Amino acid sequence: MSLPHQAGVGGEKAGRPDLLAGWARRKGRTLRPLQDAFSPVALRKRRVRADRSSAHLRLRGRLSWTPGGRLQAAGRANRAESRKTDYMSLHIRTYREQDRDAVIALWERCALTRPWNDPSADIDLCVRSREATLMVGYREDDLIASVMVGHDGHRGWIYYLAVEPERQGHGHGREMMAEAELWLASRNVGKVQLMVRIGNADAEAFYGALGYEAQDVTVFGKWLNDPNAP
């Protein structure tokens, strides 16, 4: 996803002055090139995402999902249909500390927590990492969705995708997954994976509709400490 004036900030494009750069010159101001402002170092320092939220584009019907579960620019024919579902769009942003209790309560209502995993510790680990982020989705003043996303340098991983049970089935899960994929794509991560517990047919159907496929691998695991120990 490109940002306005991305190619021409601070200079000229195709022989005509860039509008934003011209405004800065008239005001006697200096613009920092966008590629510097959104470099990995700058992003880490400011703890912002490189892609910005795509919610405003979804609201205006400028993005749509392909049958394979990918975001694409929507043609005019699709925009009228997209506008019919404007009311379903979320305000998606990066997790803040004041979200902690609401996020953990959401995970518990969605049966995502396990006795051997401390959800608060998982949040702390994610927040400390430069290769992971936790995003939350709001509907008005209510936190109703979340997704945790990170990468190991080769593949992206999705955890804690949650939507308030009473609000499921309205496209909010798709929105959160789209934001997670954009976050990974902005970091040049070429593949994303996730794990679904055996028997969770609803989750399998959901991810399958987004273009995810079962992989020809077997996941092995080993406990390094006893999760049942007091």
Side-chain angles (χ1 to χ4, degrees):
M1 183 184 303
S2 61
L3 299 176
H5 310 290
Q6 185 170 4
V9 169
E12 295 185 354
K13 179 181 179 182
R16 65 173 178 81
D18 179 85
L19 297 178
L20 190 57
W23 172 87
R25 286 193 295 271
R26 290 194 299 272
K27 296 293 184 179
R29 299 181 182 181
T30 301
L31 293 180
R32 181 171 56 168
L34 265 181
Q35 60 266 29
D36 294 337
F38 285 84
S39 69
V41 173
L43 289 171
R44 287 197 295 270
K45 288 182 178 179
R46 293 160 52 199
R47 297 201 64 79
V48 299
R49 306 206 326 271
D51 51 84
R52 300 189 352 179
S53 173
S54 64
H56 68 292
L57 293 173
R58 292 193 304 272
L59 275 168
R60 294 164 58 189
R62 299 296 177 85
L63 290 179
S64 64
W65 277 278
T66 68
R70 294 180 178 273
L71 276 175
Q72 67 174 5
R76 291 184 178 180
N78 296 332
R79 292 178 187 174
E81 186 65 26
S82 294
R83 283 193 288 271
K84 294 179 182 179
T85 60
D86 286 354
Y87 70 96
M88 296 188 300
S89 293
L90 297 172
H91 169 61
I92 301 173
R93 61 164 173 78
T94 305
Y95 165 88
R96 300 171 186 167
E97 182 56 33
Q98 60 263 36
D99 301 321
R100 185 179 295 262
D101 291 343
V103 168
I104 293 175
L106 172 66
W107 292 351
E108 290 174 346
R109 288 192 295 273
C110 293
L112 295 182
T113 59
R114 292 296 184 270
W116 52 86
N117 283 343
D118 180 356
S120 188
D122 286 345
I123 292 175
D124 290 338
L125 182 62
C126 177
V127 170
R128 290 196 304 268
S129 174
R130 293 179 176 180
E131 287 76 40
T133 192
L134 174 59
M135 289 180 277
V136 294
Y138 271 83
R139 186 74 177 140
E140 296 177 349
D141 294 329
D142 298 325
L143 192 157
I144 67 168
S146 75
V147 65
M148 186 180 290
V149 56
H151 67 89
D152 57 18
H154 300 280
R155 300 174 182 84
W157 290 91
I158 302 289
Y159 297 96
Y160 286 115
L161 175 68
V163 176
E164 189 69 47
E166 295 180 355
R167 297 176 184 254
Q168 293 177 6
H170 296 287
H172 299 320
R174 281 177 169 260
E175 289 186 82
M176 298 304 294
M177 287 295 294
E179 289 296 316
E181 291 174 3
L182 286 169
W183 188 91
L184 290 168
S186 72
R187 287 152 178 81
N188 297 317
V189 178
K191 184 179 182 181
V192 57
Q193 297 186 164
L194 50 87
M195 292 181 286
V196 176
R197 289 186 173 88
I198 293 177
N200 192 342
D202 290 341
E204 291 179 359
F206 171 78
Y207 291 117
L210 295 183
Y212 286 74
E213 299 175 340
Q215 304 295 290
D216 295 329
V217 298
T218 300
V219 177
F220 287 84
K222 175 183 178 181
W223 288 107
L224 301 181
N225 52 20
D226 186 355
N228 298 315

